[in-house]
Protein backbone atom coordinates (compact mmCIF):
# COMPACT_ATOMS: atom_id res chain seq x y z
CA UNK A 1 0.00 0.00 0.00
CA UNK A 2 1.43 3.27 -1.19
CA UNK A 3 1.11 6.90 -0.33
CA UNK A 4 0.19 9.40 -2.98
CA UNK A 5 2.58 12.21 -3.81
CA UNK A 6 3.67 14.19 -0.77
CA UNK A 7 5.71 17.25 -0.12
CA UNK A 8 7.97 15.69 2.39
CA UNK A 9 7.27 12.11 3.42
CA UNK A 10 6.69 8.81 1.65
CA UNK A 11 5.67 5.47 3.20
CA UNK A 12 5.24 1.98 1.85
CA UNK A 13 4.20 -1.19 3.72
CA UNK A 14 3.99 -4.33 1.61
CA UNK A 15 5.44 -7.66 0.51
CA UNK A 16 7.70 -6.35 -2.28
CA UNK A 17 11.50 -6.43 -1.76
CA UNK A 18 12.73 -3.05 -0.50
CA UNK A 19 14.82 -0.98 -2.93
CA UNK A 20 17.16 0.89 -0.60
CA UNK A 21 18.71 2.98 -3.37
CA UNK A 22 15.26 3.93 -4.62
CA UNK A 23 14.32 5.05 -1.13
CA UNK A 24 17.41 7.25 -0.99
CA UNK A 25 16.47 8.77 -4.35
CA UNK A 26 13.06 9.73 -2.95
CA UNK A 27 14.61 12.03 -0.34
CA UNK A 28 16.84 13.96 -2.78
CA UNK A 29 16.56 17.67 -2.08
CA UNK A 30 18.59 20.67 -3.27
CA UNK A 31 18.69 22.04 0.28
CA UNK A 32 20.04 18.80 1.74
CA UNK A 33 23.73 18.29 2.41
CA UNK A 34 23.32 15.04 4.36
CA UNK A 35 21.35 11.83 3.88
CA UNK A 36 21.12 8.90 6.29
CA UNK A 37 19.73 5.56 5.17
CA UNK A 38 19.01 2.93 7.81
CA UNK A 39 18.27 -0.65 6.81
CA UNK A 40 17.29 -3.46 9.13
CA UNK A 41 18.10 -6.92 7.78
CA UNK A 42 17.43 -10.50 8.83
CA UNK A 43 20.32 -11.88 10.86
CA UNK A 44 21.45 -15.46 10.53
CA UNK A 45 21.33 -15.96 14.29
CA UNK A 46 19.40 -14.46 17.18
CA UNK A 47 19.91 -15.25 20.84
CA UNK A 48 22.33 -17.97 19.79
CA UNK A 49 19.75 -19.81 17.65
CA UNK A 50 20.01 -20.29 13.88
CA UNK A 51 17.18 -18.44 12.13
CA UNK A 52 15.51 -20.14 9.16
CA UNK A 53 13.50 -17.10 8.13
CA UNK A 54 11.34 -14.29 9.56
CA UNK A 55 7.68 -13.56 8.96
CA UNK A 56 6.29 -10.06 9.23
CA UNK A 57 2.61 -9.27 9.52
CA UNK A 58 1.21 -5.73 9.39
CA UNK A 59 -2.12 -4.07 9.97
CA UNK A 60 -1.39 -2.18 6.80
CA UNK A 61 -3.64 0.91 6.89
CA UNK A 62 -2.81 1.55 10.55
CA UNK A 63 0.93 0.94 10.08
CA UNK A 64 0.87 3.20 7.04
CA UNK A 65 -0.76 6.03 9.01
CA UNK A 66 1.60 5.54 11.94
CA UNK A 67 4.71 5.60 9.75
CA UNK A 68 3.50 8.75 8.04
CA UNK A 69 3.01 10.43 11.44
CA UNK A 70 6.45 9.30 12.57
CA UNK A 71 8.06 10.64 9.39
CA UNK A 72 6.30 13.98 9.57
CA UNK A 73 7.08 14.39 13.28
CA UNK A 74 10.75 13.40 12.92
CA UNK A 75 11.26 15.79 10.01
CA UNK A 76 9.53 18.64 11.81
CA UNK A 77 11.32 18.15 15.12
CA UNK A 78 14.80 17.98 13.58
CA UNK A 79 14.41 20.30 10.61
CA UNK A 80 14.94 17.49 8.12
CA UNK A 81 13.97 17.95 4.46
CA UNK A 82 12.37 14.65 3.46
CA UNK A 83 11.84 11.15 4.81
CA UNK A 84 10.88 7.85 3.19
CA UNK A 85 9.97 4.70 5.17
CA UNK A 86 9.44 1.20 3.80
CA UNK A 87 8.58 -1.94 5.77
CA UNK A 88 8.23 -5.34 4.22
CA UNK A 89 5.63 -7.98 5.06
CA UNK A 90 5.59 -11.74 4.57
CA UNK A 91 8.45 -14.20 4.65
CA UNK A 92 12.00 -12.82 4.62
CA UNK A 93 15.22 -14.79 4.15
CA UNK A 94 18.55 -14.17 5.88
CA UNK A 95 20.09 -10.89 4.68
CA UNK A 96 16.89 -9.43 3.24
CA UNK A 97 15.82 -5.92 4.21
CA UNK A 98 12.84 -5.79 6.57
CA UNK A 99 12.76 -2.04 7.12
CA UNK A 100 14.44 0.98 5.54
CA UNK A 101 14.33 4.65 6.47
CA UNK A 102 15.91 7.35 4.30
CA UNK A 103 16.11 10.96 5.42
CA UNK A 104 17.69 14.10 4.03
CA UNK A 105 18.55 17.25 5.99
CA UNK A 106 20.62 20.39 5.52
CA UNK A 107 23.32 19.09 7.91
CA UNK A 108 24.36 15.70 9.19
CA UNK A 109 23.40 16.17 12.86
CA UNK A 110 19.77 16.65 11.85
CA UNK A 111 19.80 13.71 9.45
CA UNK A 112 21.17 11.29 12.07
CA UNK A 113 18.79 12.56 14.77
CA UNK A 114 15.70 12.28 12.59
CA UNK A 115 16.74 8.81 11.37
CA UNK A 116 17.33 7.50 14.87
CA UNK A 117 14.09 8.94 16.21
CA UNK A 118 12.09 7.42 13.37
CA UNK A 119 13.46 3.88 13.69
CA UNK A 120 12.98 3.89 17.47
CA UNK A 121 9.37 5.06 17.10
CA UNK A 122 8.72 2.54 14.35
CA UNK A 123 9.96 -0.39 16.41
CA UNK A 124 8.06 0.64 19.54
CA UNK A 125 4.74 1.80 18.10
CA UNK A 126 3.85 0.63 14.62
CA UNK A 127 1.30 -2.16 14.09
CA UNK A 128 3.75 -4.68 12.66
CA UNK A 129 4.56 -8.09 14.13
CA UNK A 130 7.53 -10.34 13.63
CA UNK A 131 7.82 -14.10 13.99
CA UNK A 132 11.19 -15.78 14.14
CA UNK A 133 11.16 -19.23 12.57
CA UNK A 134 13.91 -21.59 13.68
CA UNK A 135 14.66 -25.07 12.48
CA UNK A 136 12.91 -26.38 15.60
CA UNK A 137 10.01 -24.02 16.20
CA UNK A 138 8.98 -20.36 16.03
CA UNK A 139 7.98 -17.44 18.23
CA UNK A 140 6.45 -13.97 17.98
CA UNK A 141 9.00 -11.33 18.96
CA UNK A 142 7.74 -8.55 21.16
CA UNK A 143 9.52 -5.43 22.30
CA UNK A 144 11.57 -3.10 20.20
CA UNK A 145 14.47 -5.37 19.37
CA UNK A 146 17.83 -3.79 18.89
CA UNK B 1 -24.91 -4.04 19.45
CA UNK B 2 -22.82 -6.23 17.21
CA UNK B 3 -19.21 -5.20 16.57
CA UNK B 4 -16.47 -6.82 14.54
CA UNK B 5 -12.83 -6.82 15.67
CA UNK B 6 -9.82 -7.51 13.43
CA UNK B 7 -7.18 -9.86 14.86
CA UNK B 8 -3.47 -9.90 14.03
CA UNK B 9 -0.40 -11.99 14.72
CA UNK B 10 -0.58 -14.00 17.94
CA UNK B 11 -4.22 -12.97 18.53
CA UNK B 12 -5.20 -14.17 15.05
CA UNK B 13 -3.37 -17.44 15.57
CA UNK B 14 -4.86 -18.10 19.02
CA UNK B 15 -8.38 -17.31 17.88
CA UNK B 16 -7.95 -19.24 14.64
CA UNK B 17 -9.55 -16.40 12.69
CA UNK B 18 -8.67 -12.87 11.55
CA UNK B 19 -11.92 -11.31 12.75
CA UNK B 20 -14.29 -11.89 15.65
CA UNK B 21 -17.87 -10.72 16.01
CA UNK B 22 -18.84 -9.69 19.55
CA UNK B 23 -22.08 -8.51 21.16
CA UNK B 24 -22.15 -5.56 23.57
CA UNK B 25 -25.14 -4.00 25.35
CA UNK B 26 -26.33 -0.73 23.72
CA UNK B 27 -26.44 0.92 27.15
CA UNK B 28 -24.21 2.12 28.66
CA UNK B 29 -22.66 3.39 25.38
CA UNK B 30 -19.87 0.93 24.57
CA UNK B 31 -16.23 1.91 24.93
CA UNK B 32 -12.89 0.54 23.81
CA UNK B 33 -12.42 -0.78 27.33
CA UNK B 34 -15.68 -2.70 27.16
CA UNK B 35 -14.60 -4.28 23.86
CA UNK B 36 -11.34 -5.45 25.44
CA UNK B 37 -13.20 -6.89 28.43
CA UNK B 38 -15.50 -8.80 26.12
CA UNK B 39 -12.58 -10.14 24.09
CA UNK B 40 -10.83 -11.21 27.29
CA UNK B 41 -13.77 -13.52 28.03
CA UNK B 42 -12.94 -15.57 24.94
CA UNK B 43 -10.98 -18.48 26.45
CA UNK B 44 -8.41 -18.60 23.69
CA UNK B 45 -7.66 -14.84 24.06
CA UNK B 46 -7.96 -14.50 27.86
CA UNK B 47 -4.24 -14.62 28.47
CA UNK B 48 -3.24 -12.33 25.60
CA UNK B 49 -5.81 -9.49 25.80
CA UNK B 50 -4.37 -7.89 28.97
CA UNK B 51 -1.20 -7.19 26.94
CA UNK B 52 -3.13 -5.79 23.97
CA UNK B 53 -4.66 -2.44 23.06
CA UNK B 54 -7.65 -1.64 20.89
CA UNK B 55 -7.29 0.41 17.72
CA UNK B 56 -10.32 2.39 16.55
CA UNK B 57 -10.13 3.68 12.98
CA UNK B 58 -6.37 2.94 12.85
CA UNK B 59 -5.56 4.75 16.09
CA UNK B 60 -4.82 3.30 19.51
CA UNK B 61 -7.80 4.07 21.72
CA UNK B 62 -8.02 4.94 25.41
CA UNK B 63 -10.27 2.67 27.48
CA UNK B 64 -12.94 5.36 27.76
CA UNK B 65 -13.06 6.13 24.02
CA UNK B 66 -16.49 5.40 22.53
CA UNK B 67 -16.94 2.80 19.81
CA UNK B 68 -19.88 2.42 17.44
CA UNK B 69 -21.01 0.06 14.71
CA UNK B 70 -19.08 0.74 11.54
CA UNK B 71 -15.86 1.68 13.37
CA UNK B 72 -12.92 -0.41 12.21
CA UNK B 73 -11.80 -2.09 15.42
CA UNK B 74 -8.59 -4.07 15.78
CA UNK B 75 -6.95 -5.92 18.66
CA UNK B 76 -3.28 -4.86 18.74
CA UNK B 77 -0.87 -7.28 20.47
CA UNK B 78 2.53 -5.94 21.55
CA UNK B 79 4.25 -4.80 18.36
CA UNK B 80 7.69 -5.78 17.15
CA UNK B 81 8.43 -4.50 13.67
CA UNK B 82 11.80 -3.58 12.25
CA UNK C 1 42.79 4.55 -5.69
CA UNK C 2 41.39 1.34 -4.35
CA UNK C 3 42.05 -0.96 -1.50
CA UNK C 4 42.66 -4.59 -2.11
CA UNK C 5 40.36 -7.18 -0.60
CA UNK C 6 39.90 -6.81 3.13
CA UNK C 7 38.15 -8.65 5.87
CA UNK C 8 36.27 -5.71 7.20
CA UNK C 9 36.94 -2.34 5.64
CA UNK C 10 37.01 -0.89 2.13
CA UNK C 11 38.09 2.61 1.07
CA UNK C 12 38.09 4.47 -2.21
CA UNK C 13 39.24 8.03 -2.93
CA UNK C 14 38.89 9.18 -6.52
CA UNK C 15 37.08 11.16 -9.20
CA UNK C 16 34.45 8.54 -10.12
CA UNK C 17 30.81 9.17 -9.13
CA UNK C 18 30.01 7.39 -5.87
CA UNK C 19 27.65 4.41 -6.08
CA UNK C 20 25.85 4.53 -2.73
CA UNK C 21 23.97 1.27 -3.29
CA UNK C 22 27.22 -0.45 -4.24
CA UNK C 23 28.81 0.78 -1.03
CA UNK C 24 25.93 -0.66 0.97
CA UNK C 25 26.37 -3.99 -0.81
CA UNK C 26 30.02 -4.05 0.27
CA UNK C 27 29.09 -4.16 3.96
CA UNK C 28 26.58 -7.03 3.68
CA UNK C 29 27.22 -9.53 6.46
CA UNK C 30 25.21 -12.48 7.77
CA UNK C 31 25.79 -11.34 11.35
CA UNK C 32 24.51 -7.81 10.70
CA UNK C 33 20.97 -6.79 11.53
CA UNK C 34 21.52 -3.06 10.92
CA UNK C 35 23.17 -0.98 8.22
CA UNK C 36 23.64 2.80 8.20
CA UNK C 37 24.62 4.62 5.02
CA UNK C 38 25.61 8.28 5.28
CA UNK C 39 25.96 10.40 2.16
CA UNK C 40 27.13 13.99 2.03
CA UNK C 41 25.91 15.89 -1.04
CA UNK C 42 26.57 19.30 -2.56
CA UNK C 43 23.98 21.82 -1.37
CA UNK C 44 22.61 24.48 -3.68
CA UNK C 45 23.35 27.20 -1.14
CA UNK C 46 25.84 27.72 1.67
CA UNK C 47 25.89 30.62 4.08
CA UNK C 48 23.18 32.26 1.99
CA UNK C 49 25.25 32.19 -1.24
CA UNK C 50 24.33 30.24 -4.37
CA UNK C 51 26.92 27.52 -5.04
CA UNK C 52 27.96 26.89 -8.66
CA UNK C 53 29.95 23.77 -7.88
CA UNK C 54 32.46 22.34 -5.42
CA UNK C 55 36.01 21.17 -6.04
CA UNK C 56 37.63 18.51 -3.90
CA UNK C 57 41.35 17.86 -3.80
CA UNK C 58 42.90 14.92 -1.93
CA UNK C 59 46.37 13.77 -1.02
CA UNK C 60 45.21 10.36 -2.15
CA UNK C 61 47.63 7.87 -0.53
CA UNK C 62 47.46 9.70 2.81
CA UNK C 63 43.67 10.13 2.70
CA UNK C 64 43.33 6.47 1.78
CA UNK C 65 45.44 5.38 4.75
CA UNK C 66 43.59 7.73 7.10
CA UNK C 67 40.17 6.51 5.97
CA UNK C 68 41.24 2.92 6.44
CA UNK C 69 42.40 3.69 9.98
CA UNK C 70 39.15 5.49 10.73
CA UNK C 71 37.10 2.58 9.41
CA UNK C 72 39.07 -0.03 11.34
CA UNK C 73 38.95 2.01 14.56
CA UNK C 74 35.23 2.78 14.28
CA UNK C 75 34.37 -0.87 13.65
CA UNK C 76 36.55 -2.07 16.50
CA UNK C 77 35.32 0.50 19.02
CA UNK C 78 31.64 -0.13 18.33
CA UNK C 79 31.65 -3.81 17.44
CA UNK C 80 30.53 -3.13 13.89
CA UNK C 81 30.89 -5.83 11.23
CA UNK C 82 32.09 -3.98 8.11
CA UNK C 83 32.63 -0.44 6.88
CA UNK C 84 33.10 1.07 3.41
CA UNK C 85 34.15 4.69 2.82
CA UNK C 86 34.22 6.56 -0.49
CA UNK C 87 35.24 10.18 -1.09
CA UNK C 88 35.11 11.84 -4.46
CA UNK C 89 37.67 14.26 -5.89
CA UNK C 90 37.42 16.89 -8.61
CA UNK C 91 34.46 19.05 -9.61
CA UNK C 92 31.04 18.16 -8.15
CA UNK C 93 27.68 19.61 -9.19
CA UNK C 94 24.74 20.39 -6.90
CA UNK C 95 23.20 17.19 -5.54
CA UNK C 96 26.19 14.96 -6.27
CA UNK C 97 27.61 12.76 -3.53
CA UNK C 98 30.96 13.94 -2.14
CA UNK C 99 31.34 11.35 0.60
CA UNK C 100 29.60 8.11 1.55
CA UNK C 101 30.09 5.81 4.52
CA UNK C 102 28.32 2.46 4.82
CA UNK C 103 28.53 0.36 7.96
CA UNK C 104 26.93 -2.86 9.13
CA UNK C 105 26.61 -4.05 12.71
CA UNK C 106 24.69 -6.67 14.67
CA UNK C 107 22.37 -4.02 16.13
CA UNK C 108 21.35 -0.50 15.20
CA UNK C 109 22.95 1.36 18.12
CA UNK C 110 26.38 0.14 17.04
CA UNK C 111 25.76 0.94 13.38
CA UNK C 112 24.71 4.54 14.11
CA UNK C 113 27.58 5.08 16.55
CA UNK C 114 30.23 3.76 14.18
CA UNK C 115 28.81 5.77 11.27
CA UNK C 116 28.74 9.01 13.22
CA UNK C 117 32.23 8.52 14.59
CA UNK C 118 33.63 7.80 11.14
CA UNK C 119 32.13 10.84 9.41
CA UNK C 120 33.27 13.17 12.22
CA UNK C 121 36.80 11.80 12.06
CA UNK C 122 36.83 12.00 8.27
CA UNK C 123 35.79 15.64 8.23
CA UNK C 124 38.26 16.67 10.93
CA UNK C 125 41.33 14.67 10.01
CA UNK C 126 41.55 13.36 6.47
CA UNK C 127 43.81 15.05 3.90
CA UNK C 128 41.02 16.28 1.65
CA UNK C 129 40.28 19.91 0.80
CA UNK C 130 37.15 21.55 -0.51
CA UNK C 131 36.71 24.72 -2.51
CA UNK C 132 33.32 26.34 -2.86
CA UNK C 133 32.88 28.04 -6.22
CA UNK C 134 30.22 30.75 -6.37
CA UNK C 135 29.08 32.76 -9.34
CA UNK C 136 31.28 35.60 -8.07
CA UNK C 137 34.35 33.96 -6.61
CA UNK C 138 35.55 30.94 -4.65
CA UNK C 139 37.10 29.96 -1.33
CA UNK C 140 38.77 27.03 0.38
CA UNK C 141 36.56 25.73 3.20
CA UNK C 142 38.34 24.83 6.42
CA UNK C 143 36.95 23.24 9.52
CA UNK C 144 34.72 20.25 9.68
CA UNK C 145 31.55 21.69 8.17
CA UNK C 146 28.28 20.37 9.43
CA UNK D 1 70.43 18.17 2.50
CA UNK D 2 67.87 18.66 -0.23
CA UNK D 3 64.25 17.67 0.49
CA UNK D 4 61.10 17.86 -1.62
CA UNK D 5 57.73 18.79 -0.15
CA UNK D 6 54.35 18.13 -1.80
CA UNK D 7 51.87 21.01 -1.71
CA UNK D 8 48.08 20.76 -1.76
CA UNK D 9 45.04 23.00 -2.02
CA UNK D 10 45.66 26.56 -0.84
CA UNK D 11 49.38 25.91 -0.37
CA UNK D 12 49.68 24.62 -3.93
CA UNK D 13 47.80 27.62 -5.26
CA UNK D 14 49.81 30.17 -3.29
CA UNK D 15 53.14 28.65 -4.25
CA UNK D 16 52.07 28.15 -7.86
CA UNK D 17 53.47 24.62 -7.84
CA UNK D 18 52.61 21.22 -6.39
CA UNK D 19 56.11 20.53 -5.02
CA UNK D 20 58.89 22.63 -3.55
CA UNK D 21 62.54 21.73 -3.14
CA UNK D 22 64.15 23.04 0.04
CA UNK D 23 67.69 22.91 1.47
CA UNK D 24 68.31 22.09 5.14
CA UNK D 25 71.64 21.81 6.98
CA UNK D 26 72.71 18.19 7.56
CA UNK D 27 73.50 19.01 11.22
CA UNK D 28 71.60 19.13 13.49
CA UNK D 29 69.59 16.22 12.02
CA UNK D 30 66.59 17.81 10.32
CA UNK D 31 63.10 17.50 11.81
CA UNK D 32 59.54 18.09 10.64
CA UNK D 33 59.61 21.35 12.60
CA UNK D 34 62.71 22.53 10.73
CA UNK D 35 60.98 21.77 7.40
CA UNK D 36 57.97 23.87 8.41
CA UNK D 37 60.26 26.75 9.52
CA UNK D 38 62.02 26.64 6.17
CA UNK D 39 58.73 26.62 4.26
CA UNK D 40 57.49 29.56 6.33
CA UNK D 41 60.40 31.62 4.98
CA UNK D 42 58.94 31.36 1.48
CA UNK D 43 57.12 34.72 1.15
CA UNK D 44 54.07 33.25 -0.61
CA UNK D 45 53.63 30.59 2.13
CA UNK D 46 54.57 32.67 5.20
CA UNK D 47 51.00 33.37 6.21
CA UNK D 48 49.67 29.86 5.61
CA UNK D 49 52.39 27.61 7.09
CA UNK D 50 51.61 28.41 10.76
CA UNK D 51 48.19 26.82 10.18
CA UNK D 52 49.66 23.75 8.45
CA UNK D 53 51.20 20.48 9.57
CA UNK D 54 53.79 18.32 7.92
CA UNK D 55 53.04 14.78 6.82
CA UNK D 56 55.92 12.30 6.66
CA UNK D 57 55.21 9.08 4.77
CA UNK D 58 51.44 9.80 4.83
CA UNK D 59 51.31 10.46 8.56
CA UNK D 60 51.08 13.77 10.42
CA UNK D 61 54.42 14.38 12.11
CA UNK D 62 55.30 15.96 15.42
CA UNK D 63 57.73 18.88 15.21
CA UNK D 64 60.55 16.80 16.65
CA UNK D 65 60.06 13.87 14.26
CA UNK D 66 63.16 13.27 12.11
CA UNK D 67 63.02 13.59 8.33
CA UNK D 68 65.48 12.23 5.79
CA UNK D 69 66.03 12.31 2.05
CA UNK D 70 63.60 9.93 0.37
CA UNK D 71 60.80 10.53 2.87
CA UNK D 72 57.58 11.62 1.17
CA UNK D 73 56.94 15.00 2.78
CA UNK D 74 53.72 16.99 2.34
CA UNK D 75 52.50 20.31 3.67
CA UNK D 76 48.97 19.75 5.01
CA UNK D 77 46.76 22.86 5.24
CA UNK D 78 43.67 22.70 7.47
CA UNK D 79 41.49 19.94 6.01
CA UNK D 80 37.86 20.17 5.06
CA UNK D 81 36.58 17.07 3.32
CA UNK D 82 33.06 15.70 3.37
Amino acid sequence: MDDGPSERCWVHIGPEPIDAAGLLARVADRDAGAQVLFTGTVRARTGGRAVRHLEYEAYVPMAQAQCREIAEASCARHGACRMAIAHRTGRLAIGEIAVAIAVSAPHRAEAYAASREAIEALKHEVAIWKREVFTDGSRWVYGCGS
Amino acid sequence: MRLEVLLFAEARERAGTDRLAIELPDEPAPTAGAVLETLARQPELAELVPRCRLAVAHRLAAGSDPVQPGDELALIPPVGGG
Side-chain angles (χ1 to χ4, degrees), chain A, chain B:
Chain A
M1 179 166 165
D2 233 64
D3 266 11
S6 155
E7 272 310 300
R8 187 153 76 165
C9 296
W10 181 89
V11 172
H12 179 84
I13 313 283
E16 307 80 11
I18 291 176
D19 172 12
L23 215 67
L24 204 53
R26 287 185 184 276
V27 301
D29 191 302
R30 282 174 62 85
D31 293 325
Q35 292 77 37
V36 171
L37 171 69
F38 172 84
T39 60
T41 49
V42 180
R43 298 173 68 194
R45 301 185 67 79
T46 179
R49 295 177 79 182
V51 170
R52 201 161 65 181
H53 63 263
L54 295 190
E55 288 168 12
Y56 284 94
E57 178 172 339
Y59 177 16
V60 173
M62 181 168 172
Q64 177 88 5
Q66 288 176 303
C67 284
R68 167 162 289 281
E69 275 186 30
I70 287 169
E72 294 283 359
S74 300
C75 282
R77 185 146 39 235
H78 299 285
C81 299
R82 297 170 190 265
M83 184 176 282
I85 299 178
H87 202 299
R88 197 163 163 197
T89 56
R91 177 183 292 209
L92 272 74
I94 309 295
E96 289 195 290
I97 299 174
V99 59
I101 298 179
V103 60
S104 60
H107 305 291
R108 63 188 182 280
E110 303 135 11
Y112 280 102
S115 175
R116 193 69 201 268
E117 177 173 313
I119 185 61
E120 297 302 326
L122 187 149
K123 293 204 177 214
H124 286 88
E125 300 168 15
V126 173
I128 298 175
W129 298 271
K130 168 165 64 177
R131 180 155 60 177
E132 293 171 343
V133 180
F134 306 102
T135 49
D136 58 346
S138 74
R139 64 168 182 201
W140 291 100
V141 182
Y142 298 130
C144 65
S146 57
Chain B
M1 76 183 58
R2 183 186 160 89
L3 297 169
E4 209 175 61
V5 183
L6 303 177
L7 303 181
F8 293 94
E10 188 174 345
R12 174 181 52 70
E13 284 191 339
R14 288 190 181 224
T17 176
D18 60 4
R19 59 189 64 210
L20 268 183
I22 58 173
E23 281 289 336
L24 268 77
D26 289 359
E27 299 291 337
T31 62
V35 171
L36 288 171
E37 283 164 29
T38 304
L39 290 168
R41 286 198 290 272
Q42 308 270 338
E44 63 277 14
L45 292 177
E47 190 198 325
L48 184 62
V49 170
R51 294 184 284 126
C52 295
R53 298 188 61 184
L54 194 75
V56 179
H58 310 152
R59 289 188 169 274
L60 294 176
S64 58
D65 287 353
V67 299
Q68 44 192 321
D71 281 345
E72 186 169 310
L73 307 181
L75 185 65
I76 307 293
V79 300

